[in-house]
Amino acid sequence: MAIITAATTAPPSAHKRAGAARQQWIGLLYVAPAVALVVVFFLIPLGMTAWMSLHNWPLMGEHSFIGLGNYVAILRDTRFWNALRFTAYYTVIVTIAIFVVAFPLALFVERPRPLTNLYRTMFFMPAVVGFASASLLWSWLLNVDSGLFSPAAYDLGLIDRKFNLLATFQPAFWSIIAMVVWKVAGFTMIILMAGLQSIPQDLQEAAVIDGAGPFARFRAITLPLMRRTLALALILSVAGSILAFDQFYIILRGGPRNQTLTAVYWIFNQSFVSFKLGYGAALSMVLLVILVALSLVQLWLLRKPEGLD
Amino acid sequence: MRNLIAKLTLAAAVLGSGLGTAAAETANIWVRADGSNFMPRIVDAYNKAHTNQIKLDIIPNAEIIPKYGAAAAGGTAPDALSLDLIYTPSFAAAGQLEDITDWAKSLPYFASLSPAHVKTGTYKDHIYGLPFSADASVLIWNKKLFKQAGLDPEKGPANWAEIAADAEKVNALGGNIKGFYFSGNCGGCNIFTFTPLIWASGGDILSEDGSKATLDSPQLRGAIDLYRSMVKKDLVPAGAQTDTGANFFAAFAAGNIGISPSGAFAIGALNTQYPDIDYGVTFLPGKDSGWSSFAGGDNFVVTKGTTKLPVVKEFLDFAYSLEGQTILAKYGSLPVRGDIAKEALKDLDPRYQIAAEAMAKGKTPYSVVFNDLINSANGPWTQMINEVFFGDDVDGAIANAQETMQSIIDQAPQK
């Protein structure tokens, strides 16, 4: 960092400019493999998606260019906008739920105390399970006839008739929230813990000497100094939730009564159930734009304020 | 080096010209996982008896359509495939299939091929698919539970009132025994086993050519009332409400369900995997009398432009022979040739005869958007059946489904 700053602020001279240019070429060489990966696996597919979105492109048969026809159709596609509304609702709820669970966990495992490593591992474990496998596990746990929750409550005499958790919206939705929090909170906890540990201890001690209580210290020192960590955790959580699909597909099939269809689920349905690949591509582009915009807004909201390092 | 190349070229030339027409050719065929029992057997039998060979690939049910679409786009589609018959119209409409009208009509037994298959295999008066495997929907009952409940174990229900009464008696045995089972959140299961109740009573859910949705009928409402009343009386396990088809067969096979609508496939599956279950097979009845069945199974379709058409024809000829039909029947598919069905089934479980009879009179809805309308877990049919069986607003659910289905039909590409 220091070298680059020195190079750019030094007075320009022909010799140094040539050196800088060579350095830049070497730099480009170093990042070339990464650039190649991004081009091949991100930019080209993205370009193809954009190209397909301008076509009527069935899974089978001929495709034809229709300009912005797919995008016009999206404007009238109420089921997509409903799916998007549900996705937004889910994202807000699940992000809050994850932070409400992960922040206390991070505070709990941050300081060295007996068995800290055990706790950290325990809380983190579900994060290493894939979403699909976790969904399969929970769809068994939630099954009313042969699962765990409902039959256990029935056998313990807590309820007098087995209750199908997945049959109506509220219990089904909150079951998914519980599953996602169980699966993701450990990962968010690790990110937040790293942020907490990067706060210099002397700041906290100085505040204690000045007579600040724990809440004041948390609000005036911990939170501001964790801005960037929070931004990272927030963007990961929001982006992940907007792209949610596996759990709703595997556990609920978009039910009960299509009330839990997410945006990605709708794209999947249009592409691989209705075989309209072009339309699915157009929907993906719309979702991409929304996602990029949201991430920019979050980065701007959590940008580094002036005078704070 | 030059010498070697010359030799190789010569060898290739000799191979190419010398063997020429006599060379054995290999055609590639795909089948969905539902056919994984009978398909390898019939392919083996064919390969042993012929110089031409068939290479078989088995593809998971849910993936065969997208995979085939991708393969066709990339020019690597199989020469032919055994395709869920309800997809034949949409594949034909997409211009993906070889027109086999002349060949089909030249078959001496063309008139006795399963009519439901031929109907779905026909698009705009041309034939693109011929019957390959068949499955008919039937009603099965547990004889042991019937006997325990004081019912005649040899007599299955013959109308709706008897279904409800028998289910209630079996349910009264208590414990974890339930009277009736159906997969309440599975569109494909219920088009297979629920619509025959409507057909047998004289109603239908789609017009003959698939251009109109006709949901709002007294027959549909009557059949809904039958299921609703059983749900209300607690004769159906709670899990039925959210079963997307995973328990369609397994629930009855566990041995504590009195009656369940099912398919001919269950006969083979119960006999081989659950030999302890003593069960009976009967037709899916109408409200007061009569019966009907969904004629399901696969159509055999040929990819447009394939060079292996002679091999594919030879294979299908073999499948239609008595030997071929017997192999199919023995490993889980009903015969598709009506004229030799009895003979192909004569050494098998007599319960197959009921299913074969059901098949012969079976119906299949015709639509180029069947997947969107019926099979999709998020389509209007699946949503409606779940709402009308378990929800509070039957009228609203029917009206909503009618409207959505009609709009999907109207928006389908017209070619």
Side-chain angles (χ1 to χ4, degrees), chain A residues 1-25:
Chain A
M1 201 65 191
I3 296 165
I4 295 170
T5 320
T8 48
T9 52
S13 75
H15 175 74
K16 277 201 172 153
R17 265 208 303 277
R22 194 182 317 121
Q23 268 190 351
Q24 279 193 339
W25 278 113

Side-chain angles (χ1 to χ4, degrees), chain A residues 263-276:
Chain A
V264 174
Y265 201 143
W266 186 245
I267 295 172
F268 169 82
N269 267 355
Q270 290 300 312
S271 303
F272 299 110
V273 179
S274 306
F275 310 139
K276 296 190 279 190

Side-chain angles (χ1 to χ4, degrees), chain A residues 145 161 164 253 258 269 273-274, chain B residues 234 238-239 371-372 378 383:
Chain A
D145 291 320
R161 193 171 179 282
N164 193 338
R253 290 266 158 167
N258 295 337
N269 267 355
V273 179
S274 306
Chain B
D234 223 358
N371 209 26
D372 278 312
N378 312 107
Q383 182 170 354

Side-chain angles (χ1 to χ4, degrees), chain B residues 215-216 221 384 394-404:
Chain B
L215 283 181
D216 200 355
R221 281 169 190 274
M384 184 198 81
V394 175
D395 291 329
I398 294 177
N400 185 19
Q402 165 73 29
E403 192 186 323
T404 318

Side-chain angles (χ1 to χ4, degrees), chain B residues 218-235:
Chain B
Q219 290 89 351
L220 174 72
R221 281 169 190 274
I224 289 171
D225 286 342
L226 168 69
Y227 272 37
R228 274 183 78 86
S229 70
M230 289 193 284
V231 170
K232 198 163 272 171
K233 285 184 198 153
D234 223 358
L235 310 184

